[in-house]
């Protein structure tokens, strides 16, 4: 369907994309990027430093039996990067992400996030790791009996913010993702795209340095997907590192960002400003 | 602020899982009700046994042939036991008194008039301070020259021993039963909380995802368990109160004269104290039940 990516195409193509979010040029102050300002926040477990945000060294993850999630992956994702993780189902994308949020531990090799070796991270510190990482999933993972505002508020309450601060920040962040008039809607009363915006707002409300999105547009129609991707890109421009696992070929081709392609647990391609498929010049079906 | 939030979360969960919460509450209600019915009964049995064991007195019979100095010597010996604390009271019952008591007991006292003389010996009725002291008293007066050779010393040795054994048995059986009841209640509430966690597995998953610590996830569940336990306990106390006023008190009033005649000093736990104990037990059941389950099911 899509034509091969035009390698000279600049990232600004986004301007052509119909944007469903209100343009907010002052988004940057909302998302601090503490690695850059050098300050450590209270309860922050990331170690300040110039190193990469995420680093995999010879990571192997074997599941029960012989099935391999990852088979010797080594790569780094720099602070402030926007990276697409692509590959067919079962290629190891989910394993990659679950290793970063320490839902899984590698069979061998090491995973470092924000300067912390996750192999040495005590179990009691895992919640603090997850607070420093925003997560967005294909199925949104919203609490079904809570309104949009309550879903976002929950992430703030978890981190011990006062009710006063919750009341201040929740409307702010919801407006930012373009849900000004949907604060009191339950997830089932929202469209897929709106639910995903709530989920992004929840991931952002604690100012994560790293935002991970696992198939964020998997359940959305192409137009809505573009809006979501645009939102992720704007978040990235404020200094937040963004990692998007997807098999949404259109989006990847259009955005021309760094692409890491996995296949059977191995990195088969890692390219700056690339499309979904290797640029071999052949016309893709 | 945080406590308020945990409470709101717990109430939200109870509303969201109404059926499960009702099940937990009913479980707590049944457990507390049985406990509340059992505690006073158990206390009553114990106190009745205590009252019985307190009544083991020793009768020291005096020979008709005993001289006045011999009887005085025996009385001094027993008085000596009273000063060292083994004996609570010594009462002298003369031959005439003994005959009078016998006459009162008999349905037809005229048979005694047929007797040529009073066959009953005089005696000292000795009340030990503790049931166990009976042995000391017996040892002290055995072989006393003033003793009646045929009657000697009479004390309900076997009765006392049996009562003591029964008292101990009742006590231990009571503890074991209460223990089993509490364990059952804890397991049932724990199971209910497990259902509640299971129903909210996805929610717990999301909580972990946004970085909730284990305790942050646990508190609402704990409070949920405690609320269920408390509500169950309060309803159970209400039911027990109804039964006490409507059934037990009415029965006790009817049986009152019979009881006072037998001189039973058996009492039981005061209702306000019982209420405090049961409500506390309900809260504890909820907390322990959910706590145990959470330990097992909320490992990150």
């Amino acid at each position: 369907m899509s034509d091969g990516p035009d390698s000279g195409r600049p990232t600004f193509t986004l301007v052509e994309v119909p944007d469903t979010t209100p343009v907010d040029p002052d988004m940057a102050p909302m998302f601090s990027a503490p690695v850059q300002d050098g300050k450590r926040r209270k309860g922050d477990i990331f170690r300040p430093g110039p190193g990469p945000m995420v680093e995999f060294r010879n990571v192997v993850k074997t599941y029960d039996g012989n099935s391999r999630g990852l088979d010797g992956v080594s790569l780094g994702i720099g602070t402030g990067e926007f990276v697409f993780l692509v590959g067919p189902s079962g290629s190891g994308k989910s394993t990659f992400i679950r290793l970063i949020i320490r839902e899984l531990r590698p069979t061998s090799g090491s995973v470092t996030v924000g300067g912390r070796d996750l192999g040495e991270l005590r179990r009691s510190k895992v919640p603090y790791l997850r607070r420093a990482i925003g997560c967005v999933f294909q199925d949104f993972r919203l609490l079904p009996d809570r309104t949009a505002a309550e879903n976002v508020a929950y992430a703030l309450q978890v981190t011990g913010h006062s009710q006063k601060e919750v009341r201040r920040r929740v409307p702010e962040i919801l407006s930012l993702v373009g849900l000004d008039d949907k604060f009191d809607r339950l997830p089932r009363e929202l469209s897929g795209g709106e639910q995903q915006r709530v989920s992004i707002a929840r991931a952002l409300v604690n100012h994560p340095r790293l935002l991970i999105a696992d198939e964020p547009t998997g359940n959305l129609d192409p137009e809505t997907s573009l809006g979501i991707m645009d939102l992720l890109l704007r978040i990235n421009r404020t200094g937040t590192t963004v990692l998007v696992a997807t098999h949404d070929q259109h989006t990847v081709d259009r955005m021309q960002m760094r692409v890491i392609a996995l296949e059977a647990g191995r990195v088969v391609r890692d390219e700056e400003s690339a499309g979904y498929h290797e640029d071999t010049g052949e016309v893709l079906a | 602020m945080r406590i308020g939030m945990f409470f709101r979360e717990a109430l939200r969960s109870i509303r969201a899982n109404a059926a499960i919460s009702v099940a937990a509450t009913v479980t707590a209600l049944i457990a507390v009700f049985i406990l509340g019915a059992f505690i006073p009964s158990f206390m009553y049995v114990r106190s009745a046994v205590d009252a019985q064991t307190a009544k083991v007195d020793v009768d020291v019979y005096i020979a008709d042939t005993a001289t006045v100095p011999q009887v005085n010597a025996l009385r001094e010996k027993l008085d000596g036991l009273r000063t060292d604390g083994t004996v609570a009271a010594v009462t002298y019952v003369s031959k005439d008194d003994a005959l009078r008591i016998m006459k009162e007991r008999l349905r037809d006292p005229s048979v005694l008039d047929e007797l040529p003389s009073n066959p009953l010996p005089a005696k000292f009725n000795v009340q030990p301070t503790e049931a166990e002291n009976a042995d000391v008293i017996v040892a002290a007066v055995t072989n006393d020259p003033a003793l009646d050779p045929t009657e000697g010393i009479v004390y309900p040795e076997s009765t006392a021993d049996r009562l003591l054994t029964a008292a101990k048995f009742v006590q231990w059986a009571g503890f074991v039963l209460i223990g089993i009841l509490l364990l059952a209640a804890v397991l049932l509430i724990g199971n209910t909380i497990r259902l509640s966690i299971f129903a909210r597995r996805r929610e717990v998953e999301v909580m972990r995802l946004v970085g909730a610590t284990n305790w942050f996830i646990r508190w609402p569940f704990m409070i949920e368990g405690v609320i269920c336990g408390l509500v169950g306990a309060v309803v159970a106390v209400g039911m027990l109160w109804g039964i006490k006023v409507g059934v037990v008190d009415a029965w006790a009033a009817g049986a009152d004269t019979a009881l006072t005649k037998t001189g039973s000093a058996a009492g039981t736990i005061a209702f306000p104290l019982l209420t405090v104990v049961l409500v506390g037990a309900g809260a504890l059941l909820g907390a322990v039940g959910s706590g145990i389950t959470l330990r097992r099911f909320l490992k990150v």
Side-chain angles (χ1 to χ4, degrees):
Chain A
M1 279 284 286
S2 88
D3 25 24
D6 182 335
S7 53
R9 213 168 176 186
T11 41
F12 317 122
T13 42
L14 267 171
V15 179
E16 305 164 9
V17 163
D19 189 355
T20 50
T21 46
V23 177
D24 179 3
D26 294 323
M27 204 167 182
M30 272 305 296
F31 310 110
S32 58
V35 169
Q36 291 171 337
D37 66 25
K39 273 187 285 179
R40 280 188 81 184
R41 288 187 309 246
K42 186 170 158 267
D44 191 352
I45 69 156
F46 284 178
R47 299 216 161 101
M53 180 56 73
V54 177
E55 193 172 16
F56 276 54
R57 280 196 215 97
N58 293 315
V59 174
V60 175
K61 175 66 194 177
T62 315
Y63 293 107
D64 298 334
N66 299 326
S67 77
R68 292 215 140 173
L70 286 184
D71 191 6
V73 170
S74 296
L75 59 86
I77 297 172
T79 302
E81 269 196 274
F82 190 114
V83 179
F84 280 116
L85 189 63
V86 303
S89 304
S91 59
K93 298 197 297 286
S94 286
T95 305
F96 190 90
I97 283 169
R98 293 175 70 194
L99 283 165
I100 296 175
I101 59 174
R102 205 173 174 284
E103 243 180 54
L104 295 175
R105 304 183 72 163
T107 311
S108 69
S110 75
V111 178
T112 309
V113 177
R116 295 289 291 239
D117 184 342
L118 299 191
E120 287 165 14
L121 192 70
R122 273 186 293 135
R123 182 182 262 197
S124 61
K125 294 283 182 199
V126 171
Y128 300 93
L129 170 76
R130 304 222 173 120
R131 289 174 198 182
I133 303 173
C135 278
V136 175
F137 293 91
Q138 179 172 9
D139 54 358
F140 321 131
R141 302 210 187 164
L142 298 173
L143 299 172
D145 59 339
R146 285 167 212 244
T147 64
E150 285 171 336
N151 263 287
V152 177
Y154 190 80
L156 277 177
Q157 284 160 348
V158 157
T159 40
H161 287 83
S162 68
Q163 207 61 25
K164 194 176 145 216
E165 214 164 340
V166 170
R167 274 195 291 271
R168 184 177 64 78
R169 276 166 76 172
V170 169
E172 234 170 45
I173 200 98
L174 279 172
S175 312
L176 211 68
V177 296
L179 292 173
D180 280 291
D181 48 348
K182 308 270 163 71
F183 290 4
D184 297 325
R185 301 288 181 84
L186 290 172
R188 63 168 177 275
E189 298 164 347
L190 295 170
S191 72
E194 286 165 342
Q195 288 187 56
Q196 194 58 294
R197 283 170 193 274
V198 175
S199 138
I200 291 172
R202 181 182 63 191
L204 285 180
V205 77
N206 277 317
H207 301 309
R209 247 83 67 72
L210 174 62
L211 183 70
I212 296 178
D214 191 1
E215 303 281 4
T217 58
N219 283 341
L220 306 177
D221 61 75
E223 207 162 309
T224 315
S225 298
L226 287 176
I228 294 293
M229 281 300 170
D230 175 57
L231 183 58
L232 293 177
L233 187 66
R234 286 165 60 208
I235 291 160
N236 172 248
R237 293 218 181 102
T238 68
T240 307
T241 310
V242 176
L243 172 66
V244 181
T246 186
H247 50 233
D248 182 348
Q249 191 172 318
H250 288 280
T251 310
V252 177
D253 287 345
R254 197 181 286 264
M255 289 179 70
Q256 291 295 305
M257 291 294 190
R258 177 176 170 191
V259 173
I260 299 169
L262 289 175
E263 234 177 86
R266 290 170 185 277
V267 177
V268 292
R269 185 164 62 100
D270 186 350
E271 228 183 324
E272 298 294 333
S273 307
Y276 192 89
H277 292 284
E278 207 163 350
D279 191 8
T280 54
E282 64 186 289
V283 177
L284 297 154
Chain B
M1 209 67 224
R2 284 192 86 169
I3 293 169
M5 200 207 115
F6 288 141
F7 258 100
R8 281 197 301 277
E9 292 291 314
L11 289 175
R12 174 198 284 276
S13 162
I14 287 174
R15 271 200 309 276
N17 303 294
I20 289 170
S21 305
V22 167
T25 306
V26 170
T27 304
L29 190 157
I30 292 168
V32 171
F33 182 83
I34 295 174
L35 195 68
F38 188 78
I39 288 178
S41 320
F42 169 60
M43 303 264 296
Y44 181 82
V45 169
R46 265 197 70 185
S47 125
V49 168
D50 283 350
Q52 279 302 314
T53 51
K55 274 200 279 187
V56 285
D57 42 4
V58 180
D59 284 336
V60 180
Y61 288 96
I62 302 159
D64 285 352
T65 54
T67 62
V68 174
Q70 279 176 330
V71 174
N72 283 343
L74 179 58
R75 180 195 292 274
E76 270 162 36
K77 212 185 275 181
L78 292 170
D79 280 344
L81 287 173
R82 194 169 58 183
T83 44
D84 74 14
T86 27
V87 167
V90 179
T91 321
Y92 177 72
V93 181
S94 70
K95 285 176 70 74
D96 290 346
D97 291 338
L99 189 66
R100 196 168 35 78
I101 293 166
M102 175 71 93
K103 273 183 178 168
E104 279 171 15
R105 257 189 218 167
L106 294 175
R107 199 166 279 173
D108 179 15
S110 61
V111 289
L112 291 175
D113 296 339
E114 307 294 317
L115 293 168
S117 66
N118 181 356
L120 298 172
K123 67 173 180 182
F124 285 111
N125 178 261
V126 186
Q127 293 201 319
T129 46
E130 302 276 339
E132 288 90 342
N133 292 345
D135 292 341
V136 182
I137 297 160
V138 172
V141 296
T142 314
N143 300 327
D144 191 280
L147 281 186
D148 185 271
T150 49
E151 297 285 351
I153 311 161
V154 172
Y155 73 106
E157 183 187 22
S158 46
T159 320
D161 281 356
R162 238 184 290 134
L163 276 175
L164 283 177
T165 319
K168 287 209 175 84
F169 176 76
V170 167
Q171 194 165 333
W172 285 111
F175 286 148
V176 169
L177 260 171
I178 287 181
I180 292 173
L181 272 177
L182 288 179
L183 185 69
V186 161
L187 291 179
L188 281 168
I189 289 189
N191 203 40
T192 315
I193 294 291
R194 190 178 65 171
L195 284 175
S196 174
I197 294 173
F198 203 73
R200 296 170 60 205
R201 234 177 348 172
R202 242 184 99 81
E203 252 180 85
V204 170
E205 202 177 293
V206 172
M207 291 171 189
R208 283 198 194 133
L209 192 76
V210 295
T213 56
N214 277 353
W215 273 109
F216 194 91
I217 299 173
R218 275 182 200 138
W219 271 119
F221 283 111
M222 294 280 278
I223 294 171
E224 189 182 337
V226 171
I227 288 174
C228 290
L230 276 178
V231 171
V234 167
V235 175
V237 165
M239 288 166 66
L240 286 166
W241 173 253
I243 289 172
K244 178 188 150 60
V245 171
V247 180
V248 179
D249 285 356
W251 174 81
D256 195 36
T257 44
L259 284 173
T260 42
K261 212 170 202 174
T262 54
S264 168
T268 186
I269 190 168
F271 199 82
L273 178 62
L274 181 67
T275 304
V276 171
V277 168
L278 292 182
V279 170
L284 201 68
L285 281 181
V288 173
S290 49
I292 289 174
T293 314
L294 290 168
R295 267 178 69 86
R296 282 170 56 205
F297 290 91
L298 275 192
K299 284 183 182 148
V300 173

